[in-house]
Each structure stands twice: as structure tokens, then as C-alpha cells.
Amino acid sequence: MDRRKAEAAIEAILFAMGDSVELDKLAAAIEQDKETTRKIIYHMMEQYREEDRGIQILELEDAYQLCTKSELYEYLIRVARQPKKIVLTDVVMETLSIIAYKQPVTKLEIEKIRGVKCDHAVNKLVEYNLVKELGRLDAPGRPLLFGTTEDFLRHFGIHSLEDLPVMNPVQVEDFKAEAEEEIQMKLDV
């Protein structure tokens, strides 16, 4: 299959699927190895940028998705009804941060870190499709394990969890000290 036909096939697959498609599935579809397929996709991504197209290909972990450029949403809104805007409160963001960095993680582990119940925040994150159930922990009670979704990666504009910012160890120790002081203040009251 020549490069143009491979690009057309990949574009058709990504358009029709709507969601992300794993690299190995794309490679199998065009009968190429994964590295060749990745190069073809990167070439397509560059073409879309150079031609200032209304669509783009997003890389999400080891998968790709065709989507509208975010700067063109206003034109979509004029035609379609306005999409539901996700509102992430401080509590929800804090819970999401814990899940993103500690996944897979249980509600009990999140509550231990936060010091308060997290049911509402986790439920909101699941509702927004930023977090999903990953299975159950092999422990008494078999608690649910939570982790982030591809929508999380898309929403925050990162390709993989490795792109999350690395916390400065000094800051981590400062946060721990502040949390311990807050706990002690609550106990003293």
C-alpha cells in the first residue's frame, strides 16, 4: 500500500471510529508495522498543521484520535447545541490529582490522603468521564480501584501519564507538614 492510500485509510478509520484507535490496530488495518504506521500518522499530523486544517490527530498513550481543533469550537457551537461545560471545583481537582498520580487507587486511599470523604468528588469525576473504575483490589471488601481515562488526557492536553508534571520533593515534604499541622489543629479542637 502506498503512503497516500495508507493515509487515506487511517483518516477514514479515525473519522469513522470517533474515539481513539490503538496504534497496533491501525498498523494491522494498513498492513504495516507499528513504527511505519506511527511515521505515517506523524506525517499526517504535520500536514494538518501546515495546511491549517479544522481537524487534528491527537496522540493519546499509544492510540490516535481525529478531532476538531479546539480553537474552532465557537463555529461548532453556532450549529450544534452548546456542549456541557465541565466545572472542576477545588475539591474535585484535588481528588483528580490524587487519582492521576496514585492510580490505581481506592476511595479509602484518596480519603486517607485528603482527610475527608471523597464519594461526591469521585462520582463527579466518573460522571465527567475523567475517571473510571479499573477493577477491584484483592483485599477484604474488594474495594474499587480508580484511574484516569483518555478523556482526562484529552481534557488536560497531555499524551500520556508520563507527561504529568513531576512534583518537587521539597514541596511534597512541605505539603505533608501542612497536612499534619491541620490534622493536629483539628484534634486539638
Side-chain angles (χ1 to χ4, degrees), residues 18-80:
D19 288 327
S20 65
V21 179
E22 293 84 12
L23 178 63
D24 58 342
K25 289 182 180 176
L26 290 168
I30 65 168
E31 299 174 332
Q32 297 289 331
D33 61 83
K34 287 170 49 168
E35 196 51 43
T36 301
T37 304
R38 188 185 316 271
K39 287 177 184 175
I40 292 169
I41 294 169
Y42 285 165
H43 180 259
M44 293 171 67
M45 292 166 84
E46 186 58 35
Q47 277 182 306
Y48 288 172
R49 272 191 293 275
E50 286 175 3
E51 295 171 8
D52 200 23
R53 305 268 300 267
I55 55 175
Q56 63 183 349
I57 298 175
L58 289 181
E59 184 176 6
L60 305 163
E61 293 282 338
D62 212 18
Y64 298 88
Q65 182 174 5
L66 187 66
C67 63
T68 306
K69 285 184 178 176
S70 59
E71 61 265 22
L72 300 174
Y73 285 170
E74 67 179 276
Y75 300 104
L76 293 174
I77 291 169
R78 292 178 189 169
V79 175

Side-chain angles (χ1 to χ4, degrees), residues 32-149:
Q32 297 289 331
D33 61 83
K34 287 170 49 168
E35 196 51 43
T36 301
T37 304
R38 188 185 316 271
K39 287 177 184 175
I40 292 169
I41 294 169
Y42 285 165
H43 180 259
M44 293 171 67
M45 292 166 84
E46 186 58 35
Q47 277 182 306
Y48 288 172
R49 272 191 293 275
E50 286 175 3
E51 295 171 8
D52 200 23
R53 305 268 300 267
I55 55 175
Q56 63 183 349
I57 298 175
L58 289 181
E59 184 176 6
L60 305 163
E61 293 282 338
D62 212 18
Y64 298 88
Q65 182 174 5
L66 187 66
C67 63
T68 306
K69 285 184 178 176
S70 59
E71 61 265 22
L72 300 174
Y73 285 170
E74 67 179 276
Y75 300 104
L76 293 174
I77 291 169
R78 292 178 189 169
V79 175
R81 67 182 188 103
Q82 192 165 358
K84 182 180 176 185
K85 185 174 180 173
I86 295 176
V87 178
L88 299 177
T89 64
D90 289 345
V91 170
V92 173
M93 278 296 290
E94 185 177 306
T95 304
L96 180 58
S97 298
I98 293 167
I99 293 169
Y101 281 95
K102 295 286 188 178
Q103 64 185 304
V105 64
T106 65
K107 282 185 185 178
L108 184 61
E109 291 170 309
I110 298 166
E111 290 169 357
K112 190 174 180 183
I113 293 167
R114 289 199 62 238
V116 293
K117 286 284 207 191
C118 67
D119 291 333
H120 177 73
V122 171
N123 291 341
K124 276 291 176 199
L125 291 167
V126 170
E127 178 186 326
Y128 293 152
N129 198 34
L130 296 173
V131 166
K132 66 180 177 183
E133 294 176 7
L134 298 177
R136 293 191 173 271
L137 184 64
D138 190 17
R142 307 234 339 118
L144 288 169
L145 291 166
F146 293 92
T148 56
T149 64

